[in-house]
Amino acid sequence: MITKRIIPCLDVRDGKVVKGVNFTGLKEISSPVELAKYYSDSGADELVFYDITASSDGRKIFTDILCETAKNVFIPLTVGGGINSLDDFDRVLKCGADKVSVNSGAIKNPDLIEKAAKLYGNQCVVLSVDIKRVNGEFRVFAKGGRVDTGIEAIGWIKRGVDAGAGEIDAVNVPVIASGGAGKVNDFITLFKTLPKVDAGLAASVFHFGEIKINDLKREMQKNGICTRI
């Protein structure tokens, strides 16, 4: 049985981990370096470092804080935000990332997924999809969830997989579910209701200590959900 992964997400702005609702009302929480080390030592299976304003600001990820964060992480590290070219993939991987997450960059240039997968391998390319329901249809949003692209979500996800994305959110590659977790039972419900989901990703409940990752995993095991402790 494949183990289910628990993945904390560091939403980073100006070198600090922040948290808000739908990327608004952001409050600084901690240093990404300190928080990454904590999660690496606390049973997280992987970690996501996401520069939440890189795309909307039209700039590149802050590589200095990313390099320092990567030095303190001994679990797989996925990095996203402002990824628009193969050069961005190369730069982030050289900073210590294991996988690169692309969203707005792939929307602007869908060929980026295929080119990156061929150059670095499918396992390196993560297609991140911000989805909201609009008039009964699931739509893809860009710029950190701010801009409605008008693209239908499931079709876009399948296209990304066909192009070579190795992880994504309804297909035959690992699926990471993200958004809305508020308590341990939300993770239990996720994995029991959607057994094909490979991982649960969350931020606030981990950052503020509402859920301890090892406690969560023990509860998952009690409920017959295979996970690594």
Side-chain angles (χ1 to χ4, degrees), residues 10-163:
L10 308 181
D11 293 327
V12 180
R13 183 187 66 176
D14 299 330
K16 291 287 187 181
V17 177
V18 296
K19 190 56 192 168
V21 177
N22 294 327
F23 300 106
T24 62
L26 298 173
K27 297 180 180 179
E28 291 185 1
I29 296 172
S30 179
S31 156
V33 178
E34 294 174 2
L35 208 49
K37 186 176 187 306
Y38 168 75
Y39 286 132
S40 185
D41 295 339
S42 298
D45 296 296
E46 299 186 18
L47 187 68
V48 171
F49 178 112
Y50 185 48
D51 187 332
I52 63 171
T53 56
S55 290
S56 59
D57 291 350
R59 60 169 174 78
K60 299 182 183 300
I61 288 176
F62 294 119
T63 53
D64 52 349
I65 193 71
L66 173 56
C67 288
E68 191 62 28
T69 300
K71 290 177 185 176
N72 288 276
V73 173
F74 302 99
I75 53 178
L77 175 64
T78 299
V79 176
I83 305 297
N84 295 294
S85 66
L86 291 179
D87 285 343
D88 292 329
F89 269 81
D90 185 66
R91 182 169 47 83
V92 167
L93 290 169
K94 285 178 178 175
C95 286
D98 299 286
K99 306 175 190 177
V100 182
S101 176
V102 59
N103 183 354
S104 296
I107 293 169
K108 288 185 290 186
N109 178 19
D111 290 341
L112 177 60
I113 300 171
E114 183 176 3
K115 290 177 179 177
K118 287 181 177 178
L119 186 60
Y120 299 109
N122 298 60
Q123 79 289 341
C124 178
V125 183
V126 179
L127 179 59
S128 175
V129 188
D130 290 328
I131 299 173
K132 296 180 184 179
R133 192 195 298 265
V134 179
N135 298 324
E137 179 183 61
F138 290 108
R139 298 258 191 91
V140 176
F141 278 66
K143 303 291 184 183
R146 297 172 177 85
V147 178
D148 183 357
T149 66
I151 299 171
E152 189 273 323
I154 302 303
W156 171 245
I157 288 171
K158 290 179 178 177
R159 180 180 176 184
V161 173
D162 290 340

